[in-house]
Amino acid sequence: MAYDDENVFARILRGEIPAEKVYEDEHVLAFNDIAHLAPVHVLVIPKGQYVSCDDFTANASDAEMAALMRAVGKVARDLGVVDSGYRMVSNTGPDAGQEVPHFHIHIFGGRRLGGLRRQAGGGE
Ligand code: 5GP
């Protein structure tokens, strides 16, 4: 799947759409989800143009991959959800219901999230 540079996260990265940024570095941007499903609901995205987790893990540099995971940890620490706990979710493709075709990791926290069948993001 080719990268669509008009997707909403590409537009956020270009500053065409506002976002509530919580973290940024050379490779990564993290911002609050516009329709938050938990008190903490942050999206962590690479700045590079990767459609999905599959594209990212196949094609991103080691530096980009390391930066993304470091950013997830930092955001969780900065937002104070390490002790209470948090969940990372990344939807890839149709069966997972990926809506935005730019790789992103959701961080959910700040409340009891329930088991996998009731996880934020839907499902049975
Ligand atoms: P997906 O279903 O692709 O894993 O998640 C996409 C997420 O992007 C959804 O949780 C949705 O609320 C969020 N989202 C969609 N458009 C925007 C936007 O314009 N700004 C922000 N901050 N989040 C968005």
Side-chain angles (χ1 to χ4, degrees):
M1 183 180 180
Y3 184 82
D4 169 15
D5 67 6
E6 288 303 316
N7 80 74
V8 68
F9 295 169
R11 298 190 65 200
I12 286 173
L13 284 167
R14 290 197 297 268
E16 295 170 7
I17 296 176
E20 293 175 11
K21 294 181 186 180
V22 299
Y23 177 75
E24 182 169 14
D25 66 25
E26 179 187 356
H27 295 300
V28 180
L29 181 68
F31 51 94
N32 288 323
D33 195 293
I34 202 167
H36 60 92
L37 298 172
V40 170
H41 184 174
V42 173
L43 300 166
V44 184
I45 71 172
K47 289 186 173 178
Q49 298 189 335
Y50 301 102
V51 173
S52 65
C53 183
D54 179 65
D55 186 14
F56 185 70
T57 54
N59 299 310
S61 68
D62 289 355
E64 291 175 294
M65 294 184 66
L68 195 81
M69 289 309 297
R70 295 272 187 211
V72 167
K74 179 167 173 48
V75 166
R77 285 190 295 278
D78 289 351
L79 296 181
V81 293
V82 172
D83 290 342
S84 51
Y86 63 95
R87 176 173 291 155
M88 300 158 52
V89 171
S90 184
N91 296 312
T92 299
D95 278 357
Q98 182 180 357
E99 292 175 4
V100 179
H102 181 114
F103 176 45
H104 50 282
I105 295 176
H106 298 252
I107 300 175
F108 299 105
R111 67 165 170 81
R112 290 279 177 170
L113 295 166
L116 283 176
R117 286 177 181 275
R118 289 175 287 133
Q119 66 184 284
E124 288 124 50

